[in-house]
Amino acid sequence: MRIGLTVLPEHPRDEATRIWRAVEELGFDSGWTFDHLGWRSLVDGPWYGAVPTLSLAALVTDRIEIGPFVVSPHVRSPVPFARDVLALDELSRGRFTAVLGAGTPQGYDTEVLGLPRPTSRLARFEEFTVLLDRLLTEERVTHHGEYYTAVEARNAPGCVQRPRVPFVLAADGPRTVDLAARLGEGWVTTGSARDDLGTWWRGLADLSAAYGEARARAGHDPASGRRVLNSDGAPVYALSSADLFDDVVGRAGELGFTDVVAAWPRPEGIFAGDEEVLTRVSPSSPPRASSAR
């Protein structure tokens, strides 16, 4: 099981440097940041861009995988984003993963841009993903689609990772799960039912089974494909205690997930928690006896 942390893009340089280095020094496998223009109740506080945040992360770490959670077609075009991908893959020396999603139908990202409620989210997501794949693997790309256009787009020097950086696609429903199985090297989910932990886990079991079935329909081994559980969607903060996090990791493994990701604790509000819990659950800490479920 690989364990990762999301670090919200709200920290000034010195604090962000401390946190990103700590993610690596504590032995975690990956570090991620939110790719939003603002998020929920935090829109009035400090908030920086995902690409420069990940650039800093790439330069102050040496080992961990880094990437955005998650890139939305509502607010990005694949043509300029492909250049960002090339830069981040180079800065990290091949440690960047592109996590792509369909985007939420409403929220601050669309409101701040004055965009209407998006329609045909799945079709836009598919075109974005297919075009980004071409932009990262072909020398010149011309594309006239329903949502995006590219005219003789170049991709020099290409990705450090060949043939391109990995794609992990976000999916919480059957249609997007099918898309993730067809077009991505992996799948990430926050879960679809969030009333309580019981319904959340039952929903995750159904989604994991659906992903395996979708991989089979796409001609792949049903057990193949990276499976990432983003515990941010749980009705309880996963790092509220070390025992709870152990339980999340154990249950996720039983459902076939290969990765579990949790948010770096904040002093108050969303993801409020204690950094001491990170020390207790970090892969570099001595093994602990987990409490029985």
Side-chain angles (χ1 to χ4, degrees):
M1 179 69 72
R2 291 164 48 92
I3 308 298
L5 295 173
T6 52
V7 179
L8 298 189
E10 60 180 341
H11 306 285
R13 185 182 69 178
D14 290 348
E15 179 66 358
T17 298
R18 179 191 75 83
I19 292 173
W20 283 103
R21 285 178 174 163
V23 172
E24 181 158 281
E25 290 165 359
L26 287 168
F28 292 99
D29 299 292
S30 59
W32 313 87
T33 199
F34 284 10
D35 188 27
H36 290 290
L37 300 175
W39 190 62
R40 296 187 184 178
S41 61
L42 304 180
V43 295
D44 293 320
W47 197 266
Y48 302 103
V51 170
T53 296
L54 290 170
S55 298
L56 180 143
L59 294 173
V60 301
T61 62
D62 298 305
R63 175 186 56 80
I64 59 171
E65 175 186 19
I66 62 171
F69 260 30
V70 301
V71 172
S72 168
H74 299 331
V75 296
R76 288 197 184 274
S77 162
V79 177
F81 182 63
R83 290 300 192 186
D84 291 335
V85 170
L86 294 176
L88 288 166
D89 197 38
E90 167 62 26
L91 288 173
S92 66
R93 293 186 169 92
R95 294 182 286 123
F96 179 78
T97 293
V99 185
L100 314 175
T104 55
Q106 58 187 13
Y108 184 76
D109 287 349
T110 52
E111 292 169 2
V112 72
L113 294 172
L115 298 176
R117 184 182 179 92
T119 58
S120 304
R121 293 169 58 228
L122 187 66
R124 183 187 294 269
F125 183 23
E126 181 164 7
E127 185 177 332
F128 183 100
T129 304
V130 171
L131 179 53
L132 183 63
D133 174 74
R134 293 186 61 201
L135 291 164
L136 296 174
T137 56
E138 300 177 20
E139 290 186 6
R140 296 193 181 196
V141 174
T142 294
H143 171 86
H144 298 282
E146 185 175 356
Y147 302 101
Y148 304 105
T149 297
V151 181
E152 290 288 297
R154 275 73 160 175
N155 84 334
C159 294
V160 174
Q161 302 173 78
R162 297 292 181 171
R164 59 157 169 76
V165 304
F167 286 2
V168 173
L169 273 58
D172 296 330
R175 296 174 67 198
T176 47
V177 164
D178 184 73
L179 189 68
R182 289 192 290 113
L183 300 182
E185 285 71 56
W187 160 61
V188 59
T189 184
T190 55
S192 57
R194 303 171 188 175
D195 295 334
D196 54 60
L197 279 174
T199 57
W200 187 63
W201 282 116
R202 286 191 291 274
L204 287 170
D206 292 342
L207 285 171
S208 184
Y211 180 69
E213 294 166 1
R215 290 289 288 177
R217 287 194 299 272
H220 305 298
D221 180 347
S224 68
R226 184 177 180 185
R227 304 179 187 212
V228 182
L229 173 57
N230 180 4
S231 65
D232 293 352
V236 179
Y237 176 45
L239 287 169
S240 297
S241 70
D243 286 342
L244 176 61
F245 190 71
D246 286 343
D247 186 66
V248 169
V249 171
R251 288 176 182 266
E254 292 169 1
L255 293 179
F257 286 94
T258 60
D259 299 65
V260 170
V261 178
W264 183 276
R266 303 177 67 253
E268 61 183 7
I270 297 174
F271 307 139
D274 189 338
E275 290 187 17
E276 177 59 29
V277 175
L278 287 178
T279 303
R280 296 185 63 200
V281 304
S282 72
S284 63
S285 65
R288 297 177 299 104
S290 299
S291 61
R293 289 204 293 268

